[in-house]
Amino acid sequence: MVDSTSRIRQERDAIDALDAHIIELLTQRARVSSGIQKLRTDAGGPRTVFTREMEILARYRDGLGECGTQIAMSVLKLCRGAGTLQPAAAQSGGAAS
Ligand SMILES: C=C(O[C@@H]1C=C(C(=O)O)C=C[C@H]1O)C(=O)O
């Protein structure tokens, strides 16, 4: 029991580190996406591109199954600025606008 308790704590540390990495990657993605959207809207184009978003949905679904579609939808929402970035991410130049 003691062994499993300390093992679970270690494994949770690994999960916490992975989650921190995922959040950092999503913050970076939102920043890059926001830059692309600004380039396009500044040139008079639309903010979003449906065909490109369908490609991304398919990639996540192929990689992660049905949950991948849901994750991709949330990622795209975050990157359109409709999601909520963590305050720390927004301060470091996230895609808040
Ligand atoms: C970033 C882009 O603009 C928008 C945002 C996307 C994204 O976050 O992946 C994809 C398509 C567009 O709706 C793009 O066209 O690549």
Side-chain angles (χ1 to χ4, degrees):
M1 186 63 186
V2 171
D3 272 0
S4 67
T5 301
S6 86
R7 184 76 196 277
I8 287 169
R9 193 175 302 123
Q10 277 179 6
E11 295 297 317
R12 282 184 175 172
D13 285 347
I15 285 175
D16 290 347
L18 287 165
D19 283 344
H21 194 199
I22 289 166
I23 290 167
E24 173 57 25
L25 289 172
L26 286 170
T27 303
Q28 285 180 27
R29 191 195 191 285
R31 197 175 303 135
V32 173
S33 178
S34 180
I36 292 172
Q37 291 169 59
K38 183 168 183 345
L39 282 171
R40 194 163 45 238
T41 54
D42 284 355
R47 173 174 290 279
T48 59
V49 176
F50 182 73
T51 50
R52 172 69 178 159
E53 295 199 356
M54 290 303 102
E55 286 172 16
I56 289 161
L57 285 171
R59 182 185 305 152
Y60 277 69
R61 188 190 59 233
D62 290 349
L64 300 170
E66 195 184 324
C67 276
T69 304
Q70 297 300 316
I71 292 168
M73 286 169 60
S74 292
V75 168
L76 289 168
K77 180 176 175 183
L78 181 78
C79 293
R80 283 190 217 107
T84 305
L85 288 178
Q86 294 296 312
Q91 281 167 16
S92 64
S97 61

